[in-house]
Amino acid sequence: MVAYVIIPGIDGSDGQHWQTLWERQWGTSAVRISPASWSAPDLNDWVDAVQEAYDDAAERDRHVVLVAHSLGCWAASTWLSKNPSSSTAGAFLVAPPDPHGPAFPRHAAATFTEASVRPLPCPALVVGSTNDPYCTPEAAAGFAAMWGARWHLAGACGHINSASGLGTWQHGRELLNSSVGTTARP
């Protein structure tokens, strides 16, 4: 089937976040990154954490999908750029913040401002919101284009996080399933 690498944003995803709810549903098929710098994110630390989680997930299934939110999108894209020959089946990148936007947490996540945007070596889908305080739809669509990813505007969902009240975010699961060309585990 599929193994998933869960790559949350700053401080991880809380218990009501769709990533956490999906992770619970996927059980042992999901591996969450564990960087040492959750609250003061260091891009290299997060990329190393993606590598560790990817290695663990790849032992569970040869089809590995990265499921990233917020800053996690930048950790995922940076890891993919450094590992172009990985057998990653896909990347689901939700609500990437704009490192040059006015709301980006520059002091907390300074190393993320230097992340480059290069074409990704696997199928990818970027999902954005019309009212994300951390990224305009135009900027998110621009990241998708530079990553060579498909783009989907999910509507007025804020930062597509717990505060958005999405619960298990069924629409997101449908998007994930269509983006990786396989049926995600329940």
Side-chain angles (χ1 to χ4, degrees):
M1 293 281 288
V2 176
Y4 302 93
V5 174
I6 308 295
I7 311 169
I10 197 167
D11 288 327
S13 297
D14 66 28
Q16 299 307 308
H17 195 288
W18 57 268
Q19 277 184 314
T20 302
L21 299 173
W22 292 4
E23 180 182 5
R24 286 183 195 143
Q25 291 174 346
W26 289 329
T28 59
S29 296
V31 180
R32 181 180 289 244
I33 68 166
S34 298
S37 62
W38 271 127
S39 297
D42 176 76
L43 183 57
N44 288 331
D45 177 44
W46 283 39
V47 169
D48 291 346
V50 172
Q51 182 66 59
E52 287 180 33
Y54 179 86
D55 292 344
D56 190 5
E59 289 179 10
R60 299 165 195 231
D61 197 290
R62 65 185 181 93
H63 299 288
V64 177
V65 174
L66 308 182
V67 179
H69 176 258
S70 193
L71 279 183
C73 296
W74 293 105
S77 68
T78 301
W79 181 83
L80 284 164
S81 292
K82 292 181 176 190
N83 294 278
S85 61
S86 77
S87 59
T88 306
F92 187 65
L93 309 172
V94 178
D98 182 352
H100 304 291
F104 191 81
R106 280 177 190 72
H107 297 295
T111 59
F112 281 75
T113 63
E114 302 304 318
S116 61
V117 186
R118 295 186 182 121
L120 301 177
C122 66
L125 174 65
V126 175
V127 180
S129 167
T130 59
N131 62 341
D132 186 338
Y134 297 101
C135 192
T136 66
E138 297 78 15
F143 298 143
M146 289 184 279
W147 281 325
R150 289 185 13 226
W151 162 244
H152 179 81
L153 188 59
C157 301
H159 194 46
I160 312 179
N161 58 8
S162 302
S164 302
L166 299 170
T168 58
W169 193 32
Q170 187 57 39
H171 180 65
R173 287 293 290 272
E174 293 164 4
L175 291 169
L176 172 65
N177 291 346
S178 71
S179 71
V180 298
T182 185
T183 301
R185 293 185 177 174

